[in-house]
Structures are given as C-alpha cells and as structure tokens.
Amino acid sequence: MPTWLEAGLWGLLGGGALVIGALIAWITTVPPKVVASVMAFGSGVLISAVAFDLMEEAVHIGGLLPTALGFLGGAIVYLAANLVLARRGARHRKRSGEQQPSEQEQSGSGAAIAIGALLDGVPESVVLGVSLLGGGSVSLSVLAAVFISNVPEGLSSAAGMKHNGRSARYVFGVWGGIAVASGVAALLGYVLLGGAPPQVEAVITAVAAGAILTMIADTMIPEAFENTHAWTGLITTVGFLTAFAISLA
C-alpha cells in the first residue's frame, strides 16, 4: 500500500471516532456526567500525547527554537480562529446541553459549529500523516490519543446538536465530512511535508501541538468540569497516565 494512502487511512480512522461518538449520542441518551467524565479522560489522553509525543518529537528533529515558535503559533492561530467562530455561534460546539444555539436563535450557527469542529480535528490528523515521514510508522500512542479523545468529542457535541433540533442529516453530515477531512489532512501532511527540512517538520508538529493544547483548555476541560467538578482533575490524570503507558509500550 502506498504510504500516502496509509496516512490518509490512519487519519480517516482517527476522524471516524467522531462518527462513533455522534452515533452513540443519537441512538441513546448518555447521562451528562458520563459524557463529562469521558471528556475529562480524553483531555488527559491528548495532553499526554502533546507532551510526550508531539513536543518531544518536534524538539528531537528540529530543536527548541523552531518547536517553541511553532507551538506558540499554533496556539495563537487556533485562538484567533476560535474567537471568530465564537461570535458566530460555535463557542459551545462541544457542549452536550442547551448551550449550543439553534439556527433560529442565531442564524449561521450551524455552519460555524461545523467549521469549528473541523478546526478542532485537522491538527490531530496532520500529525498522523507527518509521523509516517522518513519511512517511519504511525505513532500508535498519538493514534490512540486521537481516537480515544474523538469519541467523547463527537458524543458531547452531537448530543448538544440533537438537543437543539439539528437534524440527523446535519449531525452525521458534519461528523462524516470531518472524518473524511481528517483523512485528507493526514494524507496532505505526509505528501506536502515529504522531503521538508527537519526544522519545518518540527514547526508543523509543534503548531499542531499548540492548537491541540489550546483546544483542550478552551473547549474540552470546560465541558468536563461543568458536570464532574472536583473529579475532573483525577479523571484527566487517569487519562494522561493511560496514554503515557501506551507511549511506553
């Protein structure tokens, strides 16, 4: 199998977890505390991947300065895009309750939520493609982190969409489209960065890491804390430890 195709399939697998989460939310009512607990666990998993896989790899291949610049740049770019989308109704796109606005409450919010969900998923997928550069294999710890965290993301957001009257066509169109986009992002990450200098690869990896960490703090942890409160830290720690153990295996 061509490596570029393998990269796309790994990205599609990671993005497909969003569809699984959305399907669970659509066919059954998951208690808010369960959603929040899984979200906290997924947050810990992603934090571990950022710290012990993405940042460590970026520093190893490109040095500290390119990594630091990319990391801060990723955080700033994500923040700027998120602020724009928040004004258009996507601020609470990962919330499972009544926080998401309906189309009647804020026109255009459906499109903003869809774009915001895409914004959240693309950095993770690019990293999966980049991990195959140089004849390497996909990072199983990063793949596990993306998959484990995407299930509660899709579940929580789809529950909020359903609660606010979004149709099944909209919900699964959004998550199905993002799953496909994740595959394309991973494929492009591999194709476009093949042969790039190590510093460029380090910057791209760090940009994704910065965007992911900002997304965790801005959208995932607030949803988790809303219902798990004092338990959020412990559950996040367990998720972090799980992913760290996977990275050592």
Side-chain angles (χ1 to χ4, degrees):
M1 178 188 299
T3 308
W4 60 266
L5 179 58
E6 181 184 351
L9 292 175
W10 284 124
L12 182 62
L13 175 63
L18 293 164
V19 181
I20 294 173
L23 183 61
I24 294 171
W26 194 263
I27 64 178
T28 186
T29 301
V30 183
K33 285 191 176 181
V34 173
V35 176
S37 297
V38 180
M39 186 72 81
F41 183 87
S43 298
V45 168
L46 278 180
I47 291 171
S48 178
V50 167
F52 294 107
D53 289 286
L54 305 185
M55 291 297 287
E56 185 174 331
E57 176 67 14
V59 169
H60 176 72
I61 62 177
L64 178 60
L65 182 58
T67 299
L69 292 175
F71 190 65
L72 292 174
I76 292 170
V77 169
Y78 180 91
L79 174 62
N82 202 39
L83 288 174
V84 172
L85 291 169
R87 296 191 185 100
R88 288 164 169 76
R91 179 70 183 88
H92 300 295
R93 58 185 175 274
K94 281 187 170 61
R95 299 298 183 93
S96 58
E98 300 179 356
Q99 298 92 339
Q100 288 188 30
S102 65
E103 198 66 27
Q104 290 72 31
E105 293 171 328
Q106 186 168 354
S107 178
S109 60
I113 290 170
I115 296 171
L118 180 63
L119 173 70
D120 297 336
V122 165
E124 305 166 349
S125 304
V126 170
V127 167
L128 291 175
V130 171
S131 69
L132 291 171
L133 292 174
S137 58
V138 70
S139 171
L140 293 180
S141 55
V142 174
L143 178 63
V146 170
F147 193 92
I148 292 171
S149 64
N150 275 352
V151 172
E153 285 187 50
L155 194 159
S156 179
S157 186
M161 293 173 182
K162 181 181 178 182
H163 185 86
N164 283 284
R166 308 284 182 189
S167 66
R169 181 179 179 181
Y170 171 85
V171 172
F172 292 103
V174 166
W175 298 119
I178 292 172
V180 172
S182 297
V184 173
L187 186 154
L188 291 177
Y190 175 82
V191 171
L192 296 180
L193 294 174
Q199 291 79 6
V200 174
E201 187 179 337
V203 168
I204 297 301
T205 301
V207 164
I212 291 169
L213 186 58
T214 306
M215 181 268 291
I216 294 168
D218 193 66
T219 64
M220 293 182 70
I221 293 296
E223 164 67 7
F225 184 79
E226 185 169 334
N227 287 293
T228 56
H229 301 299
W231 290 94
T232 305
L234 176 60
I235 298 170
T236 303
T237 301
V238 172
F240 181 96
L241 182 60
T242 300
F244 179 60
I246 293 174
S247 69
L248 294 178

